[in-house]
Amino acid sequence: MNQLTQSEIVLMKKAGALTRDALNYAQTLIKPGVSTLHLDKLIKKFIIDSGGSPSFLGYEGFPGSICASVNEMVVHGIPSESIILKEGDIISIDVGVIYKGYNGDAARTFPVGKISPEKARLIEVTKESFFEGIRHLKVGERLGKVSHAIQAYAEKHGYSVVRELVGHGIGKKMHMSPNIPNYGRESDGPIVVENVCLAIEPMINMGKKEIAMLEDGWGIVTRDHKPSAHYENTVLVTKNGVEILTL
Ligand code: MG
């Protein structure tokens, strides 16, 4: 785990705040009739105007500044002019912002207009599973306690947990060690140390856990085409507890 200095922590907090602001802005844009490319363009401008830069743009060749993943798409949806939001959809927006070399990363699943109670419940339980996980995030404890708690909470509600995609350490790079699965045993993973930043990000499926990749090489969808939700924050762990930097 990558321990940060106090001056690095200041920059991580600023990167986190810019990421949060971009997601709050995204929420105001979501309505039926809007394309995911339109969202991408406006959010990119918002990030740059705020003094940050969009970390996803060009990351391993990704063409967008956000990931925009609708309904059965789990994550990594490429923004597109031909994907138009409809009443009753859910859309996961994942945003990464770099500020002075430090990274914030966060995601939310938003409703488009009025959605079914089943989809609303999926969004709620996914968010709750994050908070259930970070209750177990403590200096001196195994990171596996977080992973285990997320899985137990999601499965208790009849949902399944994506295995192939995981949370991660974050700091000078967006993706750093350790990997943080959203499933597993309490006895797994490294012991948490102080002054580290982690991106914890449950990806929860309404149906089965199996996923597939689209032909574009990015979009990840559920194999059973049932909806999926995502909730991610960048958090700071100190000896005094956990601070959520992107909320
Ligand atoms: Mg992430």
Side-chain angles (χ1 to χ4, degrees), residues 9-19 50 97 99 245:
I9 287 171
V10 170
L11 296 173
M12 283 301 293
K13 287 183 178 180
K14 179 70 177 172
L18 293 178
T19 308
S50 314
V97 176
Y99 178 75
L245 305 185

Side-chain angles (χ1 to χ4, degrees), residues 56 94 105-106 166-168 174-175 199 201 230 232:
F56 294 0
D94 196 342
D105 187 6
V166 297
H168 47 94
M174 178 163 58
H175 292 126
E201 49 177 319
H230 189 196
E232 175 182 28

Side-chain angles (χ1 to χ4, degrees), residues 116-187:
S116 70
E118 292 76 18
K119 283 181 170 173
R121 186 83 188 116
L122 175 68
I123 292 174
E124 194 57 29
V125 168
T126 303
K127 177 179 178 179
E128 288 166 1
S129 75
F130 166 89
F131 286 97
E132 197 60 31
I134 64 164
R135 283 207 305 126
H136 300 270
L137 181 56
K138 290 187 184 113
V139 171
E141 301 280 354
R142 290 256 172 221
L143 197 51
K145 288 193 169 182
V146 177
S147 305
H148 180 80
I150 291 170
Q151 179 183 18
Y153 191 81
E155 291 182 352
K156 186 174 82 181
H157 288 84
Y159 299 141
S160 63
V161 174
V162 172
R163 300 294 199 270
E164 294 85 348
L165 300 148
V166 297
H168 47 94
I170 184 167
K172 274 194 166 181
K173 288 193 286 185
M174 178 163 58
H175 292 126
M176 303 176 75
S177 67
N179 281 339
I180 310 171
N182 297 302
Y183 66 96
R185 294 179 304 190
E186 291 183 311
S187 57

Side-chain angles (χ1 to χ4, degrees), residues 10 40 46 53 55 78 91 107 114 116 136-137 141 156 160 178-179 195 198 224 232 240:
V10 170
D40 181 75
F46 181 91
S53 56
S55 59
I78 295 178
I91 178 170
K114 189 168 164 43
S116 70
H136 300 270
L137 181 56
E141 301 280 354
K156 186 174 82 181
S160 63
N179 281 339
N195 301 337
L198 304 171
D224 62 11
E232 175 182 28
N240 299 321

Side-chain angles (χ1 to χ4, degrees), residues 34-40 68 77-85:
V34 168
S35 78
T36 59
L37 186 65
H38 181 70
L39 298 176
D40 181 75
I78 295 178
S80 166
E81 202 167 10
S82 63
I83 301 175
I84 311 286
L85 299 181

Side-chain angles (χ1 to χ4, degrees), residues 95-111:
V95 177
V97 176
I98 305 174
Y99 178 75
K100 295 191 176 171
Y102 288 82
N103 283 269
D105 187 6
R108 305 279 183 268
T109 301
F110 298 113

